Amino acid sequence: NAGVTQTPKFRILKIGQSMTLQCAQDMNHNYMYWYRQDPGMGLKLIYYSVGAGITDKGEVPNGYNVSRSTTEYFPLRLELAAPSQTSVYFCASTPGQGALYSNQPQHFGDGTRLSIL
Amino acid sequence: ELKVEQNPLFLSMQEGKNYTIYCNYSTTSDRLYWYRQDPGKSLESLFVLLSNGAVKQEGRLMASLDTKARLSTLHITAAVHDLSATYFCAVLTGTASKLTFGTGTRLQVTL
């Protein structure tokens, strides 16, 4: 059981370049999330999705876009990369909401370490 | 806007000692999570606290939740070096099971 898989693990971008961070989960979870973690800080929510075709902004969405065409995949797109987007990006998933899932935490991938120079 | 504060931010403790990490949050929520993160690694779920008065224990770690005081504690008993990591609390926020994370407590257990 792979859980949440993120690719790539590391990437260096030049200012102004674009890239897509990939996230896949094999647990059939409905809810998926993208966070960024800056050095020595907690995680901040970028975007989230409650199902295929449904996405919404989190706390820090500027400079990012997402799509969710299937349950399994939730890619994060960076357009026109800026140094302020240097961070570690985590994707997470959880089955859903309600009493049936109340005991379930969010499950995290291993992260993508992104540097923009 | 929900704010989640942890203290202390850094904790150096000797093996064998006890200590408590505190997590305060600013608005009503009835679910709180504790995670562990080793350097350069992902987040590992430790506890899910579902209601007021919830207490969970795993090994040398015990977590509790007081929703009326908007406070959760993570108590470490007889610390060992393997517990060295950063510990995050996260509070359920609004809909879609979104979480707001604290800034983390970096725990260093020394011999």
Side-chain angles (χ1 to χ4, degrees), chain A residues 31 33 35 37 42-43 45 48 50 90 96-97 102-103 105-106 108-109 113, chain B residues 31 33 35 37 40-42 45 48 50 56 88 95-99 101-102:
Chain A
Y31 291 8
Y33 311 84
Y35 295 90
Q37 183 180 31
L43 279 69
L45 183 64
Y48 65 99
V50 298
F90 287 101
Q97 196 165 322
S102 62
N103 218 20
Q106 289 185 12
F108 284 81
R113 282 149 186 81
Chain B
R31 203 180 308 172
Y33 304 78
Y35 286 88
Q37 185 180 38
K41 302 294 186 182
S42 185
S45 176
V48 179
L50 296 178
K56 289 196 174 178
F88 291 96
T95 60
S97 297
K98 297 193 297 291
L99 297 179
F101 281 80

PDB file of all heavy atoms in Angstrom, chain A residues 31 33 35 37 42-43 45 48 50 90 96-97 102-103 105-106 108-109 113, chain B residues 31 33 35 37 40-42 45 48 50 56 88 95-99 101-102:
ATOM      1  N   TYR A  31     -10.917  13.433   0.044  1.00  0.00           N
ATOM      2  CA  TYR A  31     -10.367  14.755   0.351  1.00  0.00           C
ATOM      3  C   TYR A  31      -8.853  14.750   0.170  1.00  0.00           C
ATOM      4  O   TYR A  31      -8.159  13.848   0.667  1.00  0.00           O
ATOM      5  CB  TYR A  31     -10.677  15.151   1.795  1.00  0.00           C
ATOM      6  CG  TYR A  31     -12.122  15.446   2.110  1.00  0.00           C
ATOM      7  CD1 TYR A  31     -13.138  15.208   1.195  1.00  0.00           C
ATOM      8  CD2 TYR A  31     -12.478  15.976   3.339  1.00  0.00           C
ATOM      9  CE1 TYR A  31     -14.457  15.482   1.501  1.00  0.00           C
ATOM     10  CE2 TYR A  31     -13.794  16.260   3.656  1.00  0.00           C
ATOM     11  CZ  TYR A  31     -14.783  16.004   2.741  1.00  0.00           C
ATOM     12  OH  TYR A  31     -16.098  16.286   3.055  1.00  0.00           O
ATOM     13  N   TYR A  33      -5.245  17.575  -0.100  1.00  0.00           N
ATOM     14  CA  TYR A  33      -4.766  18.883   0.333  1.00  0.00           C
ATOM     15  C   TYR A  33      -3.334  19.104  -0.143  1.00  0.00           C
ATOM     16  O   TYR A  33      -2.555  18.163  -0.240  1.00  0.00           O
ATOM     17  CB  TYR A  33      -4.761  18.976   1.873  1.00  0.00           C
ATOM     18  CG  TYR A  33      -6.037  18.530   2.533  1.00  0.00           C
ATOM     19  CD1 TYR A  33      -6.255  17.184   2.801  1.00  0.00           C
ATOM     20  CD2 TYR A  33      -7.025  19.440   2.890  1.00  0.00           C
ATOM     21  CE1 TYR A  33      -7.426  16.758   3.404  1.00  0.00           C
ATOM     22  CE2 TYR A  33      -8.208  19.018   3.497  1.00  0.00           C
ATOM     23  CZ  TYR A  33      -8.392  17.675   3.750  1.00  0.00           C
ATOM     24  OH  TYR A  33      -9.564  17.264   4.345  1.00  0.00           O
ATOM     25  N   TYR A  35      -0.095  21.568   1.125  1.00  0.00           N
ATOM     26  CA  TYR A  35       0.456  22.471   2.120  1.00  0.00           C
ATOM     27  C   TYR A  35       1.871  22.881   1.688  1.00  0.00           C
ATOM     28  O   TYR A  35       2.547  22.155   0.976  1.00  0.00           O
ATOM     29  CB  TYR A  35       0.598  21.776   3.478  1.00  0.00           C
ATOM     30  CG  TYR A  35      -0.677  21.346   4.134  1.00  0.00           C
ATOM     31  CD1 TYR A  35      -1.217  20.087   3.901  1.00  0.00           C
ATOM     32  CD2 TYR A  35      -1.345  22.186   5.022  1.00  0.00           C
ATOM     33  CE1 TYR A  35      -2.385  19.684   4.527  1.00  0.00           C
ATOM     34  CE2 TYR A  35      -2.512  21.790   5.656  1.00  0.00           C
ATOM     35  CZ  TYR A  35      -3.022  20.537   5.399  1.00  0.00           C
ATOM     36  OH  TYR A  35      -4.176  20.140   6.018  1.00  0.00           O
ATOM     37  N   GLN A  37       5.500  24.159   3.740  1.00  0.00           N
ATOM     38  CA  GLN A  37       6.156  24.291   5.038  1.00  0.00           C
ATOM     39  C   GLN A  37       7.449  25.055   4.842  1.00  0.00           C
ATOM     40  O   GLN A  37       8.390  24.553   4.226  1.00  0.00           O
ATOM     41  CB  GLN A  37       6.440  22.924   5.674  1.00  0.00           C
ATOM     42  CG  GLN A  37       7.047  23.043   7.066  1.00  0.00           C
ATOM     43  CD  GLN A  37       7.334  21.703   7.704  1.00  0.00           C
ATOM     44  OE1 GLN A  37       7.628  20.716   7.048  1.00  0.00           O
ATOM     45  NE2 GLN A  37       7.239  21.654   9.036  1.00  0.00           N
ATOM     46  N   GLY A  42       5.185  25.863  10.825  1.00  0.00           N
ATOM     47  CA  GLY A  42       4.145  24.861  10.628  1.00  0.00           C
ATOM     48  C   GLY A  42       3.700  24.834   9.177  1.00  0.00           C
ATOM     49  O   GLY A  42       4.271  25.500   8.317  1.00  0.00           O
ATOM     50  N   LEU A  43       2.679  24.065   8.903  1.00  0.00           N
ATOM     51  CA  LEU A  43       2.188  23.913   7.541  1.00  0.00           C
ATOM     52  C   LEU A  43       1.061  24.903   7.264  1.00  0.00           C
ATOM     53  O   LEU A  43       0.224  25.157   8.134  1.00  0.00           O
ATOM     54  CB  LEU A  43       1.649  22.491   7.332  1.00  0.00           C
ATOM     55  CG  LEU A  43       2.686  21.417   7.048  1.00  0.00           C
ATOM     56  CD1 LEU A  43       3.549  21.137   8.266  1.00  0.00           C
ATOM     57  CD2 LEU A  43       1.995  20.144   6.581  1.00  0.00           C
ATOM     58  N   LEU A  45      -2.029  25.790   4.451  1.00  0.00           N
ATOM     59  CA  LEU A  45      -2.849  25.171   3.411  1.00  0.00           C
ATOM     60  C   LEU A  45      -2.876  26.034   2.161  1.00  0.00           C
ATOM     61  O   LEU A  45      -3.209  27.228   2.230  1.00  0.00           O
ATOM     62  CB  LEU A  45      -4.267  24.953   3.944  1.00  0.00           C
ATOM     63  CG  LEU A  45      -5.251  24.259   3.030  1.00  0.00           C
ATOM     64  CD1 LEU A  45      -4.806  22.818   2.743  1.00  0.00           C
ATOM     65  CD2 LEU A  45      -6.649  24.271   3.638  1.00  0.00           C
ATOM     66  N   TYR A  48      -7.252  22.797  -1.525  1.00  0.00           N
ATOM     67  CA  TYR A  48      -7.787  21.508  -1.145  1.00  0.00           C
ATOM     68  C   TYR A  48      -8.894  21.099  -2.105  1.00  0.00           C
ATOM     69  O   TYR A  48      -9.392  21.918  -2.893  1.00  0.00           O
ATOM     70  CB  TYR A  48      -8.288  21.514   0.304  1.00  0.00           C
ATOM     71  CG  TYR A  48      -9.469  22.418   0.567  1.00  0.00           C
ATOM     72  CD1 TYR A  48     -10.769  21.915   0.617  1.00  0.00           C
ATOM     73  CD2 TYR A  48      -9.284  23.777   0.814  1.00  0.00           C
ATOM     74  CE1 TYR A  48     -11.847  22.743   0.884  1.00  0.00           C
ATOM     75  CE2 TYR A  48     -10.351  24.606   1.073  1.00  0.00           C
ATOM     76  CZ  TYR A  48     -11.630  24.099   1.109  1.00  0.00           C
ATOM     77  OH  TYR A  48     -12.692  24.921   1.373  1.00  0.00           O
ATOM     78  N   VAL A  50     -12.418  18.308  -2.309  1.00  0.00           N
ATOM     79  CA  VAL A  50     -13.293  17.341  -1.630  1.00  0.00           C
ATOM     80  C   VAL A  50     -13.788  16.254  -2.588  1.00  0.00           C
ATOM     81  O   VAL A  50     -14.595  15.406  -2.189  1.00  0.00           O
ATOM     82  CB  VAL A  50     -14.481  18.035  -0.945  1.00  0.00           C
ATOM     83  CG1 VAL A  50     -13.972  18.998   0.131  1.00  0.00           C
ATOM     84  CG2 VAL A  50     -15.356  18.756  -1.951  1.00  0.00           C
ATOM     85  N   PHE A  90       3.887  19.599   0.816  1.00  0.00           N
ATOM     86  CA  PHE A  90       3.314  18.315   1.224  1.00  0.00           C
ATOM     87  C   PHE A  90       1.902  18.169   0.671  1.00  0.00           C
ATOM     88  O   PHE A  90       1.101  19.102   0.735  1.00  0.00           O
ATOM     89  CB  PHE A  90       3.246  18.204   2.748  1.00  0.00           C
ATOM     90  CG  PHE A  90       4.584  17.997   3.400  1.00  0.00           C
ATOM     91  CD1 PHE A  90       5.244  19.049   4.004  1.00  0.00           C
ATOM     92  CD2 PHE A  90       5.177  16.743   3.422  1.00  0.00           C
ATOM     93  CE1 PHE A  90       6.469  18.869   4.608  1.00  0.00           C
ATOM     94  CE2 PHE A  90       6.411  16.553   4.034  1.00  0.00           C
ATOM     95  CZ  PHE A  90       7.051  17.613   4.617  1.00  0.00           C
ATOM     96  N   GLY A  96     -12.763  11.460   4.204  1.00  0.00           N
ATOM     97  CA  GLY A  96     -13.872  12.388   4.027  1.00  0.00           C
ATOM     98  C   GLY A  96     -14.257  12.968   5.365  1.00  0.00           C
ATOM     99  O   GLY A  96     -13.464  13.006   6.302  1.00  0.00           O
ATOM    100  N   GLN A  97     -15.496  13.413   5.446  1.00  0.00           N
ATOM    101  CA  GLN A  97     -15.962  14.101   6.643  1.00  0.00           C
ATOM    102  C   GLN A  97     -17.133  13.321   7.232  1.00  0.00           C
ATOM    103  O   GLN A  97     -17.732  12.485   6.574  1.00  0.00           O
ATOM    104  CB  GLN A  97     -16.415  15.505   6.253  1.00  0.00           C
ATOM    105  CG  GLN A  97     -16.565  16.466   7.390  1.00  0.00           C
ATOM    106  CD  GLN A  97     -16.660  17.898   6.897  1.00  0.00           C
ATOM    107  OE1 GLN A  97     -15.984  18.273   5.960  1.00  0.00           O
ATOM    108  NE2 GLN A  97     -17.497  18.681   7.532  1.00  0.00           N
ATOM    109  N   SER A 102     -14.401  10.074  11.475  1.00  0.00           N
ATOM    110  CA  SER A 102     -13.949  11.023  12.499  1.00  0.00           C
ATOM    111  C   SER A 102     -12.610  10.632  13.107  1.00  0.00           C
ATOM    112  O   SER A 102     -11.888  11.474  13.614  1.00  0.00           O
ATOM    113  CB  SER A 102     -14.999  11.162  13.598  1.00  0.00           C
ATOM    114  OG  SER A 102     -15.183   9.903  14.249  1.00  0.00           O
ATOM    115  N   ASN A 103     -12.264   9.338  13.047  1.00  0.00           N
ATOM    116  CA  ASN A 103     -11.033   8.884  13.657  1.00  0.00           C
ATOM    117  C   ASN A 103      -9.846   8.911  12.701  1.00  0.00           C
ATOM    118  O   ASN A 103      -8.751   8.480  13.059  1.00  0.00           O
ATOM    119  CB  ASN A 103     -11.237   7.449  14.153  1.00  0.00           C
ATOM    120  CG  ASN A 103     -10.533   7.225  15.474  1.00  0.00           C
ATOM    121  OD1 ASN A 103     -10.224   8.161  16.189  1.00  0.00           O
ATOM    122  ND2 ASN A 103     -10.278   5.968  15.790  1.00  0.00           N
ATOM    123  N   PRO A 105      -6.896  10.570  10.562  1.00  0.00           N
ATOM    124  CA  PRO A 105      -6.085  11.774  10.382  1.00  0.00           C
ATOM    125  C   PRO A 105      -5.863  12.033   8.897  1.00  0.00           C
ATOM    126  O   PRO A 105      -6.266  11.216   8.058  1.00  0.00           O
ATOM    127  CB  PRO A 105      -4.765  11.389  11.047  1.00  0.00           C
ATOM    128  CG  PRO A 105      -4.657   9.923  10.766  1.00  0.00           C
ATOM    129  CD  PRO A 105      -6.067   9.385  10.818  1.00  0.00           C
ATOM    130  N   GLN A 106      -5.232  13.129   8.589  1.00  0.00           N
ATOM    131  CA  GLN A 106      -4.739  13.315   7.228  1.00  0.00           C
ATOM    132  C   GLN A 106      -3.440  12.517   7.087  1.00  0.00           C
ATOM    133  O   GLN A 106      -2.599  12.523   7.987  1.00  0.00           O
ATOM    134  CB  GLN A 106      -4.496  14.792   6.939  1.00  0.00           C
ATOM    135  CG  GLN A 106      -5.769  15.602   6.805  1.00  0.00           C
ATOM    136  CD  GLN A 106      -5.525  17.037   6.406  1.00  0.00           C
ATOM    137  OE1 GLN A 106      -4.437  17.425   6.002  1.00  0.00           O
ATOM    138  NE2 GLN A 106      -6.576  17.859   6.501  1.00  0.00           N
ATOM    139  N   PHE A 108       0.036  11.984   5.010  1.00  0.00           N
ATOM    140  CA  PHE A 108       0.924  12.858   4.263  1.00  0.00           C
ATOM    141  C   PHE A 108       1.885  12.082   3.370  1.00  0.00           C
ATOM    142  O   PHE A 108       2.333  10.982   3.715  1.00  0.00           O
ATOM    143  CB  PHE A 108       1.738  13.717   5.222  1.00  0.00           C
ATOM    144  CG  PHE A 108       0.952  14.849   5.811  1.00  0.00           C
ATOM    145  CD1 PHE A 108       0.103  14.632   6.879  1.00  0.00           C
ATOM    146  CD2 PHE A 108       1.041  16.122   5.274  1.00  0.00           C
ATOM    147  CE1 PHE A 108      -0.650  15.674   7.405  1.00  0.00           C
ATOM    148  CE2 PHE A 108       0.304  17.170   5.793  1.00  0.00           C
ATOM    149  CZ  PHE A 108      -0.548  16.937   6.864  1.00  0.00           C
ATOM    150  N   GLY A 109       2.210  12.703   2.232  1.00  0.00           N
ATOM    151  CA  GLY A 109       3.292  12.212   1.406  1.00  0.00           C
ATOM    152  C   GLY A 109       4.634  12.633   1.965  1.00  0.00           C
ATOM    153  O   GLY A 109       4.708  13.317   2.993  1.00  0.00           O
ATOM    154  N   ARG A 113      10.856  19.047  -2.044  1.00  0.00           N
ATOM    155  CA  ARG A 113      11.683  20.177  -1.623  1.00  0.00           C
ATOM    156  C   ARG A 113      12.013  21.016  -2.850  1.00  0.00           C
ATOM    157  O   ARG A 113      12.713  20.548  -3.743  1.00  0.00           O
ATOM    158  CB  ARG A 113      12.937  19.658  -0.928  1.00  0.00           C
ATOM    159  CG  ARG A 113      12.630  19.223   0.487  1.00  0.00           C
ATOM    160  CD  ARG A 113      13.494  18.085   0.985  1.00  0.00           C
ATOM    161  NE  ARG A 113      13.044  17.641   2.293  1.00  0.00           N
ATOM    162  CZ  ARG A 113      12.018  16.812   2.506  1.00  0.00           C
ATOM    163  NH1 ARG A 113      11.338  16.315   1.501  1.00  0.00           N
ATOM    164  NH2 ARG A 113      11.670  16.467   3.731  1.00  0.00           N
TER     165      ARG A 113
ATOM    166  N   ARG B  31     -12.024  18.865  17.462  1.00  0.00           N
ATOM    167  CA  ARG B  31     -11.135  17.799  17.036  1.00  0.00           C
ATOM    168  C   ARG B  31      -9.730  18.360  16.898  1.00  0.00           C
ATOM    169  O   ARG B  31      -9.519  19.420  16.295  1.00  0.00           O
ATOM    170  CB  ARG B  31     -11.599  17.193  15.713  1.00  0.00           C
ATOM    171  CG  ARG B  31     -11.088  15.795  15.507  1.00  0.00           C
ATOM    172  CD  ARG B  31     -11.564  15.222  14.211  1.00  0.00           C
ATOM    173  NE  ARG B  31     -12.992  15.308  14.026  1.00  0.00           N
ATOM    174  CZ  ARG B  31     -13.602  15.010  12.885  1.00  0.00           C
ATOM    175  NH1 ARG B  31     -12.893  14.606  11.858  1.00  0.00           N
ATOM    176  NH2 ARG B  31     -14.903  15.127  12.772  1.00  0.00           N
ATOM    177  N   TYR B  33      -5.407  17.136  16.398  1.00  0.00           N
ATOM    178  CA  TYR B  33      -4.486  16.096  15.964  1.00  0.00           C
ATOM    179  C   TYR B  33      -3.077  16.440  16.440  1.00  0.00           C
ATOM    180  O   TYR B  33      -2.696  17.614  16.481  1.00  0.00           O
ATOM    181  CB  TYR B  33      -4.469  16.005  14.437  1.00  0.00           C
ATOM    182  CG  TYR B  33      -5.818  15.763  13.810  1.00  0.00           C
ATOM    183  CD1 TYR B  33      -6.737  16.794  13.661  1.00  0.00           C
ATOM    184  CD2 TYR B  33      -6.169  14.492  13.361  1.00  0.00           C
ATOM    185  CE1 TYR B  33      -7.976  16.567  13.088  1.00  0.00           C
ATOM    186  CE2 TYR B  33      -7.402  14.265  12.772  1.00  0.00           C
ATOM    187  CZ  TYR B  33      -8.297  15.309  12.651  1.00  0.00           C
ATOM    188  OH  TYR B  33      -9.530  15.076  12.077  1.00  0.00           O
ATOM    189  N   TYR B  35       0.923  15.425  15.461  1.00  0.00           N
ATOM    190  CA  TYR B  35       1.796  14.797  14.478  1.00  0.00           C
ATOM    191  C   TYR B  35       3.243  14.900  14.948  1.00  0.00           C
ATOM    192  O   TYR B  35       3.612  15.837  15.664  1.00  0.00           O
ATOM    193  CB  TYR B  35       1.694  15.497  13.114  1.00  0.00           C
ATOM    194  CG  TYR B  35       0.439  15.212  12.346  1.00  0.00           C
ATOM    195  CD1 TYR B  35      -0.706  15.975  12.522  1.00  0.00           C
ATOM    196  CD2 TYR B  35       0.405  14.176  11.409  1.00  0.00           C
ATOM    197  CE1 TYR B  35      -1.859  15.714  11.788  1.00  0.00           C
ATOM    198  CE2 TYR B  35      -0.736  13.914  10.667  1.00  0.00           C
ATOM    199  CZ  TYR B  35      -1.865  14.690  10.867  1.00  0.00           C
ATOM    200  OH  TYR B  35      -3.004  14.424  10.135  1.00  0.00           O
ATOM    201  N   GLN B  37       7.245  14.961  13.311  1.00  0.00           N
ATOM    202  CA  GLN B  37       8.034  15.102  12.100  1.00  0.00           C
ATOM    203  C   GLN B  37       9.511  14.988  12.442  1.00  0.00           C
ATOM    204  O   GLN B  37      10.042  15.785  13.218  1.00  0.00           O
ATOM    205  CB  GLN B  37       7.757  16.444  11.411  1.00  0.00           C
ATOM    206  CG  GLN B  37       8.476  16.574  10.064  1.00  0.00           C
ATOM    207  CD  GLN B  37       8.202  17.899   9.380  1.00  0.00           C
ATOM    208  OE1 GLN B  37       8.116  18.942  10.036  1.00  0.00           O
ATOM    209  NE2 GLN B  37       8.071  17.875   8.053  1.00  0.00           N
ATOM    210  N   GLY B  40      13.700  16.499   7.898  1.00  0.00           N
ATOM    211  CA  GLY B  40      13.694  16.139   6.483  1.00  0.00           C
ATOM    212  C   GLY B  40      12.679  15.088   6.094  1.00  0.00           C
ATOM    213  O   GLY B  40      12.721  14.579   4.972  1.00  0.00           O
ATOM    214  N   LYS B  41      11.781  14.770   6.992  1.00  0.00           N
ATOM    215  CA  LYS B  41      10.808  13.701   6.738  1.00  0.00           C
ATOM    216  C   LYS B  41       9.387  14.230   6.698  1.00  0.00           C
ATOM    217  O   LYS B  41       9.138  15.415   6.896  1.00  0.00           O
ATOM    218  CB  LYS B  41      10.912  12.629   7.839  1.00  0.00           C
ATOM    219  CG  LYS B  41      12.279  12.004   7.969  1.00  0.00           C
ATOM    220  CD  LYS B  41      12.654  11.195   6.746  1.00  0.00           C
ATOM    221  CE  LYS B  41      13.967  10.469   6.952  1.00  0.00           C
ATOM    222  NZ  LYS B  41      14.364   9.708   5.736  1.00  0.00           N
ATOM    223  N   SER B  42       8.478  13.306   6.457  1.00  0.00           N
ATOM    224  CA  SER B  42       7.061  13.652   6.396  1.00  0.00           C
ATOM    225  C   SER B  42       6.463  13.721   7.799  1.00  0.00           C
ATOM    226  O   SER B  42       7.160  13.565   8.794  1.00  0.00           O
ATOM    227  CB  SER B  42       6.332  12.612   5.557  1.00  0.00           C
ATOM    228  OG  SER B  42       4.986  12.977   5.393  1.00  0.00           O
ATOM    229  N   SER B  45       1.150  10.710  11.918  1.00  0.00           N
ATOM    230  CA  SER B  45       0.060  10.922  12.855  1.00  0.00           C
ATOM    231  C   SER B  45       0.329  10.195  14.171  1.00  0.00           C
ATOM    232  O   SER B  45       0.689   9.015  14.181  1.00  0.00           O
ATOM    233  CB  SER B  45      -1.247  10.418  12.249  1.00  0.00           C
ATOM    234  OG  SER B  45      -2.295  10.520  13.178  1.00  0.00           O
ATOM    235  N   VAL B  48      -5.453  11.309  17.404  1.00  0.00           N
ATOM    236  CA  VAL B  48      -6.642  12.043  16.987  1.00  0.00           C
ATOM    237  C   VAL B  48      -7.515  12.182  18.232  1.00  0.00           C
ATOM    238  O   VAL B  48      -7.932  11.173  18.819  1.00  0.00           O
ATOM    239  CB  VAL B  48      -7.414  11.300  15.884  1.00  0.00           C
ATOM    240  CG1 VAL B  48      -8.659  12.090  15.487  1.00  0.00           C
ATOM    241  CG2 VAL B  48      -6.530  11.056  14.673  1.00  0.00           C
ATOM    242  N   LEU B  50     -10.986  13.491  19.739  1.00  0.00           N
ATOM    243  CA  LEU B  50     -12.286  13.759  19.126  1.00  0.00           C
ATOM    244  C   LEU B  50     -13.233  14.585  19.966  1.00  0.00           C
ATOM    245  O   LEU B  50     -14.220  15.092  19.438  1.00  0.00           O
ATOM    246  CB  LEU B  50     -12.970  12.439  18.764  1.00  0.00           C
ATOM    247  CG  LEU B  50     -12.254  11.598  17.715  1.00  0.00           C
ATOM    248  CD1 LEU B  50     -13.018  10.291  17.501  1.00  0.00           C
ATOM    249  CD2 LEU B  50     -12.150  12.366  16.408  1.00  0.00           C
ATOM    250  N   LYS B  56      -5.516  10.135  25.141  1.00  0.00           N
ATOM    251  CA  LYS B  56      -4.970   8.967  24.446  1.00  0.00           C
ATOM    252  C   LYS B  56      -3.503   8.815  24.823  1.00  0.00           C
ATOM    253  O   LYS B  56      -2.793   9.805  25.012  1.00  0.00           O
ATOM    254  CB  LYS B  56      -5.129   9.113  22.937  1.00  0.00           C
ATOM    255  CG  LYS B  56      -6.573   8.991  22.479  1.00  0.00           C
ATOM    256  CD  LYS B  56      -6.648   8.759  20.996  1.00  0.00           C
ATOM    257  CE  LYS B  56      -8.074   8.492  20.591  1.00  0.00           C
ATOM    258  NZ  LYS B  56      -8.213   8.297  19.135  1.00  0.00           N
ATOM    259  N   PHE B  88       3.825  18.673  16.132  1.00  0.00           N
ATOM    260  CA  PHE B  88       2.834  19.658  15.707  1.00  0.00           C
ATOM    261  C   PHE B  88       1.456  19.275  16.228  1.00  0.00           C
ATOM    262  O   PHE B  88       1.075  18.100  16.165  1.00  0.00           O
ATOM    263  CB  PHE B  88       2.741  19.722  14.178  1.00  0.00           C
ATOM    264  CG  PHE B  88       3.952  20.298  13.503  1.00  0.00           C
ATOM    265  CD1 PHE B  88       4.933  19.470  12.997  1.00  0.00           C
ATOM    266  CD2 PHE B  88       4.096  21.661  13.364  1.00  0.00           C
ATOM    267  CE1 PHE B  88       6.047  19.986  12.364  1.00  0.00           C
ATOM    268  CE2 PHE B  88       5.216  22.197  12.726  1.00  0.00           C
ATOM    269  CZ  PHE B  88       6.183  21.349  12.229  1.00  0.00           C
ATOM    270  N   THR B  95     -15.021  23.480   7.258  1.00  0.00           N
ATOM    271  CA  THR B  95     -15.504  22.317   6.512  1.00  0.00           C
ATOM    272  C   THR B  95     -14.362  21.580   5.828  1.00  0.00           C
ATOM    273  O   THR B  95     -13.214  22.017   5.890  1.00  0.00           O
ATOM    274  CB  THR B  95     -16.500  22.776   5.431  1.00  0.00           C
ATOM    275  OG1 THR B  95     -15.801  23.686   4.556  1.00  0.00           O
ATOM    276  CG2 THR B  95     -17.684  23.480   6.051  1.00  0.00           C
ATOM    277  N   ALA B  96     -14.671  20.482   5.209  1.00  0.00           N
ATOM    278  CA  ALA B  96     -13.723  19.705   4.405  1.00  0.00           C
ATOM    279  C   ALA B  96     -12.548  19.190   5.214  1.00  0.00           C
ATOM    280  O   ALA B  96     -11.470  18.959   4.669  1.00  0.00           O
ATOM    281  CB  ALA B  96     -13.222  20.517   3.206  1.00  0.00           C
ATOM    282  N   SER B  97     -12.744  19.016   6.499  1.00  0.00           N
ATOM    283  CA  SER B  97     -11.701  18.452   7.364  1.00  0.00           C
ATOM    284  C   SER B  97     -10.379  19.191   7.254  1.00  0.00           C
ATOM    285  O   SER B  97      -9.302  18.598   7.385  1.00  0.00           O
ATOM    286  CB  SER B  97     -11.495  16.956   7.054  1.00  0.00           C
ATOM    287  OG  SER B  97     -12.657  16.229   7.333  1.00  0.00           O
ATOM    288  N   LYS B  98     -10.446  20.500   7.013  1.00  0.00           N
ATOM    289  CA  LYS B  98      -9.218  21.289   6.911  1.00  0.00           C
ATOM    290  C   LYS B  98      -8.576  21.410   8.281  1.00  0.00           C
ATOM    291  O   LYS B  98      -9.233  21.410   9.317  1.00  0.00           O
ATOM    292  CB  LYS B  98      -9.517  22.679   6.355  1.00  0.00           C
ATOM    293  CG  LYS B  98     -10.076  22.678   4.941  1.00  0.00           C
ATOM    294  CD  LYS B  98     -10.053  24.065   4.334  1.00  0.00           C
ATOM    295  CE  LYS B  98     -10.919  25.056   5.076  1.00  0.00           C
ATOM    296  NZ  LYS B  98     -12.349  24.746   4.918  1.00  0.00           N
ATOM    297  N   LEU B  99      -7.245  21.523   8.271  1.00  0.00           N
ATOM    298  CA  LEU B  99      -6.494  21.662   9.511  1.00  0.00           C
ATOM    299  C   LEU B  99      -5.717  22.971   9.538  1.00  0.00           C
ATOM    300  O   LEU B  99      -5.182  23.403   8.509  1.00  0.00           O
ATOM    301  CB  LEU B  99      -5.501  20.506   9.670  1.00  0.00           C
ATOM    302  CG  LEU B  99      -6.077  19.109   9.782  1.00  0.00           C
ATOM    303  CD1 LEU B  99      -4.953  18.089   9.921  1.00  0.00           C
ATOM    304  CD2 LEU B  99      -7.035  19.003  10.947  1.00  0.00           C
ATOM    305  N   PHE B 101      -2.403  24.323  11.491  1.00  0.00           N
ATOM    306  CA  PHE B 101      -1.289  23.786  12.255  1.00  0.00           C
ATOM    307  C   PHE B 101      -0.672  24.822  13.177  1.00  0.00           C
ATOM    308  O   PHE B 101      -0.618  26.018  12.856  1.00  0.00           O
ATOM    309  CB  PHE B 101      -0.196  23.281  11.304  1.00  0.00           C
ATOM    310  CG  PHE B 101      -0.481  21.936  10.719  1.00  0.00           C
ATOM    311  CD1 PHE B 101      -1.352  21.809   9.647  1.00  0.00           C
ATOM    312  CD2 PHE B 101       0.104  20.797  11.248  1.00  0.00           C
ATOM    313  CE1 PHE B 101      -1.633  20.556   9.106  1.00  0.00           C
ATOM    314  CE2 PHE B 101      -0.170  19.546  10.715  1.00  0.00           C
ATOM    315  CZ  PHE B 101      -1.037  19.430   9.649  1.00  0.00           C
ATOM    316  N   GLY B 102      -0.173  24.359  14.315  1.00  0.00           N
ATOM    317  CA  GLY B 102       0.691  25.172  15.144  1.00  0.00           C
ATOM    318  C   GLY B 102       2.079  25.249  14.521  1.00  0.00           C
ATOM    319  O   GLY B 102       2.375  24.570  13.525  1.00  0.00           O
TER     320      GLY B 102
END
